[in-house]
Amino acid sequence: MTNAPVPKPWIMEIAPYIPGRSTTDDGRKVAKLSSNENPLGTSPKAREAFASAATSLERYPDASATELRDTLAAKHGLDPARIIYGNGSDEVLHLAAGAFAGPGDEVIYVNYGFSVYPIATRRVGATPVVAPDKDYATDVDAILAAVTDRTRIVFIANPNNPTGTYAPRGEIERLHAGLRPDILLVIDHAYAEYIDGGDDDGGMALAQNAPNVLVTRTFSKMYGLAAERIGWGYAAPAIIEAMHRIRLPFSITIAGTAAAVAALGDTDFVASTRDHNAQWRAWFADEIAKLGNAGLRAIPSQANFILVLFEGELTAETAYKGLMDAGYIVRWLPGQGLPHGLRITIGTAEETQGVIAALRRMAGA
Ligand SMILES: *Cc1c(COP(=O)(O)O)cnc(C)c1O
């Protein structure tokens, strides 16, 4: 007998999620380029809808999120009955793990994958299996080689976070074709809106047609609504039905839902965010390439951030601290096997140019 409640052993194996920072070591507020938020803010229409929702705070939200599902379905050509929603797509990822994996089961994700996957996996007592990457990108063959009789879920983010890498449609289809039909393939589309030229990895078509594919999406990035925690997913009816059984009944709020619905209607805001990101992501990558002599390298990104590797004299840790001194917080990820990398969100024009100027100074260029 012990004299205090004992957490489950698999819970104590979870390394807590580390959020992006917004202040420096000495408490200064600086440009936050550590959480892949939208540097252009939020659609004014979404902000207006959010403010108008302040009238009936005593009411519970609509537990079936009918307006949100109908608006999403109309916009994306989907069946509203097959949409699940949650407190950010993080909740939807947890619902997938909770409904389809448990003790004795294995869950696969890639090396340098999104940090929520190990947490969602261990939380339900399942065993994480990490598939090796191919120069920081998703390696379909390595994932397929990691499959065993115990595999229940494969999580991939496409584009991936923190690497920004993108697996094209052929690779996603090959991955799906190589998995047993009883394995749930979760394709996390948190950054799908940022892919060059509106390219599509075919994930949503698989979720439409296959019985074992869940696509997750979020309002936190392109739609600039990270504060309001609205995410959603799409899959076959049986997948969605299982996830609904363990969903918190009221995990998305009335104001957040109103903002999300309005944001879907503001195509100008989305287009300007996409253009801004494409322009400055390309510029940023070009500028990092010019620092190649100093050992800096940008991993090709299709997201709203770039992973910069420091393989010369200037280390990622030194650059991280130097950027903080210069007024920019970025993401240093030693806990994710990337002590030599910084993940830098594409900010405003001024921020993006400021980061490059600081890196050039530190690299002696
Ligand atoms: C940001 C992000 C999410 C979205 O998180 P929310 O809970 O919807 O805010 C999901 N997956 C990846 C890979 C992300 O980077």
Side-chain angles (χ1 to χ4, degrees):
M1 209 179 74
T2 59
N3 52 12
V6 179
K8 303 314 287 179
W10 53 82
I11 299 298
M12 300 316 286
E13 282 164 16
I14 294 175
Y17 181 83
I18 304 170
R21 297 173 48 166
S22 47
T23 52
T24 60
D25 289 336
D26 54 6
R28 279 177 298 129
K29 203 164 165 42
V30 289
K32 186 182 176 202
L33 302 173
S34 57
S35 296
N36 303 338
E37 294 146 337
N38 192 324
L40 305 186
T42 306
S43 152
K45 290 182 178 148
R47 254 184 286 122
E48 219 169 276
F50 177 83
S52 313
T55 49
S56 36
L57 298 182
E58 74 284 9
R59 301 283 175 213
Y60 278 106
D62 168 17
S64 52
T66 306
E67 192 189 9
L68 177 66
R69 285 188 298 112
D70 286 349
T71 312
L72 285 169
K75 183 173 179 76
H76 296 286
L78 303 173
D79 173 1
R82 294 172 55 176
I83 293 174
I84 183 109
Y85 38 90
N87 191 253
S89 51
D90 285 353
E91 186 190 2
V92 181
L93 299 169
H94 277 280
L95 294 177
F100 294 97
D105 297 333
E106 293 175 353
V107 174
I108 299 174
Y109 46 85
V110 297
N111 194 25
Y112 314 124
F114 183 39
S115 57
V116 166
Y117 308 151
I119 298 175
T121 300
R122 291 189 194 276
R123 174 180 175 227
V124 299
T127 304
V129 174
V130 177
D133 60 294
K134 191 165 59 190
D135 196 21
Y136 300 91
T138 297
D139 181 347
V140 165
D141 295 306
I143 295 174
L144 293 175
V147 171
T148 73
D149 290 349
R150 295 179 161 203
T151 306
R152 296 289 170 266
I153 302 177
V154 173
F155 281 116
I156 61 161
N158 200 32
N160 185 44
N161 174 14
T163 62
T165 54
Y166 176 62
R169 187 172 192 132
E171 285 297 281
I172 298 299
E173 286 173 351
R174 200 163 69 78
L175 171 61
H176 177 252
L179 292 175
R180 292 195 314 271
D182 65 299
I183 297 172
L184 178 65
L185 173 59
V186 180
I187 306 174
D188 179 340
H189 273 179
Y191 301 99
E193 296 93 344
Y194 293 99
I195 299 167
D196 261 343
D199 192 28
D200 171 8
D201 71 3
M204 198 55 98
L206 285 172
Q208 282 272 31
N209 300 314
N212 65 331
V213 176
L214 169 70
V215 163
T216 62
R217 305 275 305 246
T218 182
F219 283 91
S220 299
K221 308 285 158 61
M222 174 67 80
Y223 290 100
L225 284 169
E228 282 314 298
R229 318 301 310 121
I230 309 280
W232 59 285
Y234 196 74
I239 304 277
I240 298 299
E241 198 266 341
M243 292 167 72
H244 271 301
R245 288 170 189 255
I246 54 170
R247 189 174 57 76
L248 296 178
F250 304 109
S251 62
I252 63 173
T253 63
I254 292 176
T257 303
V261 166
L264 284 172
D266 194 344
T267 48
D268 289 348
F269 180 78
V270 168
S272 54
T273 296
R274 186 183 290 120
D275 291 349
H276 171 87
N277 189 70
Q279 178 192 341
W280 289 101
R281 181 178 66 197
W283 181 83
F284 189 88
D286 284 350
E287 292 298 312
I288 295 295
K290 293 178 195 164
L291 298 175
N293 287 342
L296 275 66
R297 170 160 80 107
I299 299 296
S301 171
Q302 290 286 308
N304 66 344
F305 58 86
I306 289 191
L307 178 64
V308 180
L309 302 180
F310 294 77
E311 297 166 324
E313 225 160 272
L314 176 63
T315 66
E317 184 175 13
T318 301
Y320 174 68
K321 290 177 178 158
L323 285 171
M324 201 180 299
D325 287 342
Y328 305 97
I329 292 208
V330 301
R331 197 69 169 266
W332 180 42
L333 296 160
Q336 280 185 252
L338 291 165
H340 56 304
L342 296 181
R343 191 195 70 189
I344 304 176
T345 305
I346 303 301
T348 63
E350 194 186 355
E351 289 163 352
T352 309
Q353 290 167 316
V355 166
I356 289 294
L359 288 175
R360 289 184 69 86
R361 265 198 313 278
M362 286 186 269

